[in-house]
Amino acid sequence: MGFRVVPAAYVLLIDDGRVLLQLRAGTGYRDGFWAAAAAGHVEAGESVHAAAVREAAEELGIVVDAADLVPLTTMHRTNRTGLEIDERVDFFFTCRRWTGEPRTMEPERSAGLGWFALDDLPDPVVPHERHVLDGVAGGGLPAITAFGFR
């Protein structure tokens, strides 16, 4: 069995104690769950910062300056399926400044957006993302976290 790490970038837009989430739909992964409004895989040859900026533009129609991305935590996670692509590394950023009004740019993949207080999140939230959001609400996270390992 091979081993491959799949990297992803997450942008948590935070404004006045609230976070912008999207309701997943039509993706085949955690549809019906709330998730980071902008997130996605890092493409070949792309930096994680460039991926975060690209995802914010593609999914929300906003412009984010890479300098405004604040590293929150890096998460190594697994679903323990044994598949070679099940090892994930997720780079979470917060962002408090952007240009434009966030809106759903991929309606075929999202049932809508909503602003939620960090201490009053909707249910359900994608589990590994809920772990991060609970850490933000609680005052912080370690620089590196692990999720799904025994």
Side-chain angles (χ1 to χ4, degrees), residues 75-149:
M75 176 182 281
H76 182 206
R77 70 179 167 96
T78 184
N79 290 319
R80 296 191 314 266
T81 65
L83 298 174
E84 71 177 28
I85 63 165
D86 192 36
E87 297 288 327
R88 305 288 174 145
V89 175
D90 301 324
F91 299 90
F92 286 86
F93 298 95
T94 59
C95 184
R96 296 177 191 275
R97 290 186 350 175
W98 56 88
T99 302
E101 185 66 32
R103 62 194 183 282
T104 301
M105 298 295 291
E106 299 174 329
E108 70 282 0
R109 301 172 58 87
S110 174
L113 298 170
W115 286 98
F116 298 93
L118 285 164
D119 61 358
D120 189 22
L121 296 174
D123 191 45
V125 173
V126 174
H128 71 279
E129 295 184 39
R130 178 68 190 237
H131 178 79
V132 171
L133 291 167
D134 287 346
V136 172
L141 290 162
I144 299 173
T145 57
F147 187 88
F149 294 90

Side-chain angles (χ1 to χ4, degrees), residues 9-49:
Y10 293 70
V11 180
L12 298 175
L13 296 183
I14 296 180
D15 183 36
D16 196 29
R18 301 175 308 151
V19 62
L20 184 64
L21 300 178
Q22 70 165 308
L23 184 57
R24 297 181 63 84
T27 68
Y29 175 76
R30 301 280 186 180
D31 291 334
F33 281 70
W34 290 93
H41 294 141
V42 177
E43 296 179 356
E46 182 179 48
S47 75
V48 69
H49 296 94

